[in-house]
Amino acid sequence: PEFFGDVARVDAKIWPFVDVEPRRYRLRIVNGSQSRFYNLPFATVLQGDLFAPLPEELRGRVDVVVANTPYVPSDMVELMPSEAKDHEPLHTLDGGPDGLVLLRRIAADAGDWLRPGGVVLIEISASQYDAARDAFATAGLVTSARIDPDGTSVILGQRPDS
């Protein structure tokens, strides 16, 4: 990918989107190329758990993984605004004891799917950066982060070139 400030331009031939939530998966299929979720007419939508539904021929060839994982610690979900906690399935909000259960799973497997130089980006809380960085480092990914003043934070893990 080429990075221009806050914008990344990626020239890709395959855009698979994976969702474990059957309801959301069906919406993406029904909406097809006019999907209000992605608005990418060339996207392929797959249902499954993380990397599991990806075609094997993508292993080691993925340029970018963007994951929208739950990152709220389990004991903090109840404190969330009612518009979130009362209307979203719990598994889309609850990130486990420290909010990073799925991030760790993605970090552990991403290196097998990313091409050398490929990146994975995941939104986190600024307070989770050290633990997220450690998870990425354990997986052999080089990390950096973008932490905005409003508290929005994204951690980036890059597979080394060699």
Side-chain angles (χ1 to χ4, degrees):
E2 296 179 45
F3 292 93
F4 302 97
D6 294 337
V7 179
R9 182 182 69 102
V10 180
D11 296 319
K13 306 247 186 288
I14 302 170
W15 289 79
F17 288 89
V18 178
D19 203 320
V20 71
E21 175 61 43
R23 177 178 57 115
R24 290 195 173 115
Y25 169 76
R26 284 191 303 275
L27 284 173
R28 286 172 175 84
I29 293 298
V30 168
N31 290 334
S33 64
Q34 299 304 312
S35 172
R36 66 185 170 97
F37 296 99
Y38 302 122
N39 198 26
L40 295 173
F42 41 82
T44 300
V45 182
L46 306 169
Q47 183 179 7
D49 186 31
L50 303 180
F51 298 100
L54 292 179
E56 188 62 31
E57 62 265 18
L58 291 181
R59 191 176 292 275
R61 298 180 55 211
V62 175
D63 292 311
V64 178
V65 172
V66 179
N68 185 11
T69 63
Y71 58 91
V72 177
S74 299
D75 62 355
M76 302 296 286
V77 172
E78 190 56 39
L79 303 176
M80 293 181 70
S82 63
E83 60 266 16
K85 69 179 178 182
D86 296 342
H87 301 287
E88 294 293 331
L90 182 61
H91 73 271
T92 67
L93 303 172
D94 187 344
D98 66 353
L100 299 175
V101 168
L102 279 179
L103 179 141
R104 284 189 185 87
R105 287 184 56 209
I106 292 167
D109 292 343
D112 290 338
W113 291 93
L114 293 171
R115 66 162 177 76
V119 296
V120 58
L121 299 100
I122 303 176
E123 183 176 357
I124 59 172
S125 164
S127 65
Q128 294 169 316
Y129 175 73
D130 289 339
R133 181 197 60 222
D134 292 347
F136 277 27
T138 297
L141 302 172
V142 178
T143 61
S144 63
R146 164 82 187 232
I147 301 174
D148 288 337
D150 70 357
T152 303
S153 305
V154 175
I155 189 161
L156 181 145
Q158 184 171 29
R159 180 177 167 190
D161 284 327
S162 56

